[in-house]
Amino acid sequence: MEGLWPWVLILVCLPGLILGAPSASHCTGACGTRFSEDLTPEETQTSWDKDIPAINQGLIPEESPESSFLLEGDILRPSPFRLFSAASSKWPKNGGVVEVPFLLSGKYDKPSRQVILEAFAEFERSTCIRFVAYNGQRDFISIIPMSGCFSSIGRSGGMQVVSLGPSCLQRGPGIVLHELMHVLGFWHEHSRADRDRYIRVNWNEILPGFEMNFIKSRSSNMLVPYDYSSVMHYGRLAFSRRGLPTITPLWATSVHIGQRWNLSSSDIARVLRFYDCSPSGHEPSGKEKKQPKNHFKCQNIKTSFSTLLSSIQQCSKS
Ligand SMILES: [Zn+2]
C-alpha cells in the first residue's frame, strides 16, 4: 500500500484540476458525488473515542510520516498540480461574505449529514463563511467518507477532497469544524512558531518517526494569541508512543487541550481577521454590503446552509 495513496488522491482530484468543475446539473445540493469513496471501507474498524491522529493512524496503518500523504496527521500534502490551480489559498470574498461551495456525499446517512450541516451552521452563525451547495463553481470541496479525517490547507483549485469518515462524526461536529478550518487556511495551533512559550513538546514520548508532526512554522493561526481552547489544537496524547503526554500546557497545566466541540472565540476571531470580515457579512470598513440572496430553485440550488434543509424539504414535498 505504501506510496499508493498519493496516486489515488491525484486520480481523485484530477477531474476537478484538469477538466474544471464537473457538471452537477443533476445534483440538488447535499447529494451524491461521482468520486470514488470505496477505497477503504471504514465500517469494519472502530476507534470511536480517539482524536484525529489516532483515528487516522488506526485507519491508515501503513503510513509513516515520511511516506504519508498527510502532514501533521490530517493535512493533505499540496498537490503537484497546485501550480496550475488556485493562485491564492484564500477563498474569495464577495461583498463581505466568503462562499465555500460543497458537495456532500450521498453515502452519508441522515445523522452524519446532520453533524456536518451543524458545523456549517456554526461557521454561519459566527463568521462570514458560508458553505453553499455546489452549483458549477470552479473551486469547491467534496466531502466524502474515505478512511479517516483529513483535508487540504486553504483553497486548492478545482475540486478538493475533505474526508470525514464515520469515526470523524461520532462525537459531534468538532472534527468537522477542525477540518473545515484547514479548508479555510488554518494550521494546527500546537505547530505555530510561538508555541514553545505555551506548551512543552515531550519529544521522548512521541512515536519514533513521528517527530516531524511537531515541526513549528509561522501560519495564519498567529493572527490571534495562542489559544489552548482552539479546535485546531491537538490533544495531550497526540502521536504518543506509550500513552503519556506528548504536549503539556505550560501556563495552565490542567487546561483541556484538543477540544472538539466548537469554534473557540479565538478561532472565530482568526477567521474574521484572515478574511477581513464580520459575522454578519458587513464589511468591517463600512464598505457596501453585498450579501447574496438565498432564493431557492429546485433546479438550481445556490443557498447558504440555514435555508438548505428547508429547501430540500420543500423539494421533496413538491
Ligand atoms: Zn488537523
Side-chain angles (χ1 to χ4, degrees):
M1 273 296 282
E2 185 169 325
L4 175 62
W5 270 99
W7 293 107
V8 168
L9 287 167
I10 288 169
L11 289 173
V12 167
C13 295
L14 271 175
L17 292 169
I18 293 179
L19 302 176
S23 168
S25 57
H26 61 287
C27 169
T28 53
C31 61
T33 74
R34 297 178 296 152
F35 311 114
S36 171
E37 300 155 14
D38 296 320
L39 298 171
T40 309
E42 191 184 322
E43 286 76 9
T44 57
Q45 304 175 60
T46 54
S47 49
W48 308 131
D49 296 327
K50 298 174 182 174
D51 194 24
I52 298 165
I55 290 173
N56 287 351
Q57 279 181 274
L59 297 172
I60 314 168
E62 81 287 359
E63 297 291 337
S64 63
E66 293 82 4
S67 63
S68 175
F69 64 96
L70 298 175
L71 302 169
E72 298 185 13
D74 73 331
I75 298 169
L76 281 169
R77 291 183 188 272
S79 161
F81 298 97
R82 178 64 192 271
L83 288 174
F84 305 102
S85 56
S88 166
S89 63
K90 278 189 186 180
W91 293 85
K93 188 172 64 171
N94 182 14
V97 297
V98 175
E99 292 188 344
V100 181
F102 72 91
L103 277 174
L104 193 56
S105 169
K107 291 201 168 185
Y108 287 114
D109 59 16
K110 191 174 178 182
S112 299
R113 191 186 313 262
Q114 190 63 37
V115 169
I116 295 168
L117 297 182
E118 280 176 34
F120 290 168
E122 181 155 348
F123 277 102
E124 183 160 345
R125 271 195 306 273
S126 309
T127 75
C128 59
I129 306 298
R130 305 289 182 265
F131 290 91
V132 298
Y134 173 74
N135 187 31
Q137 296 91 336
R138 187 191 67 177
D139 302 331
F140 63 101
I141 60 174
S142 178
I143 304 177
I144 57 179
M146 293 172 72
S147 281
C149 337
F150 53 83
S151 63
S152 309
I153 296 283
R155 181 171 60 104
S156 301
M159 186 199 83
Q160 61 188 83
V161 167
V162 177
S163 173
L164 292 169
S167 302
C168 316
L169 306 171
Q170 286 296 306
R171 292 190 293 173
I175 291 179
V176 186
L177 293 169
H178 178 105
E179 299 304 332
L180 294 178
M181 284 291 281
H182 283 321
V183 166
L184 294 174
F186 298 96
W187 293 77
H188 292 132
E189 193 74 348
H190 71 274
S191 297
R192 51 190 276 173
D194 61 349
R195 63 108 187 275
D196 286 341
R197 284 190 269 159
Y198 305 94
I199 60 168
R200 181 178 67 244
V201 174
N202 304 309
W203 296 98
N204 291 336
E205 298 301 332
I206 299 171
L207 275 169
F210 285 76
E211 294 87 353
M212 64 185 296
N213 288 339
F214 292 82
I215 292 174
K216 288 186 289 187
S217 62
R218 294 196 64 82
S219 71
S220 48
N221 290 47
M222 298 179 70
L223 290 167
V224 297
Y226 197 93
D227 180 19
Y228 290 129
S229 64
S230 170
V231 80
M232 301 312 289
H233 211 304
Y234 270 174
R236 292 169 187 260
L237 302 180
F239 306 105
S240 174
R241 68 185 176 96
R242 55 175 181 171
L244 293 176
T246 54
I247 301 174
T248 304
L250 291 176
W251 295 105
T253 52
S254 61
V255 72
H256 179 72
I257 55 174
Q259 68 91 1
R260 298 289 177 261
W261 303 309
N262 51 28
L263 297 174
S264 71
S265 55
S266 290
D267 291 329
I268 293 167
R270 75 183 95 211
V271 170
L272 298 181
R273 289 193 186 177
F274 191 55
Y275 284 97
D276 187 25
C277 63
S278 68
S280 65
H282 287 287
E283 296 281 11
S285 59
K287 285 182 270 182
E288 183 184 355
K289 174 186 174 186
K290 183 185 173 189
Q291 192 154 10
K293 292 184 176 180
N294 292 325
H295 293 303
F296 171 76
K297 295 178 182 176
C298 288
Q299 298 299 319
N300 184 23
I301 293 177
K302 183 181 181 185
T303 181
S304 60
F305 162 72
S306 61
T307 56
L308 184 58
L309 278 178
S310 60
S311 298
I312 292 171
Q313 287 166 354
Q314 289 174 31
C315 231
S316 61
K317 287 175 184 172
S318 63

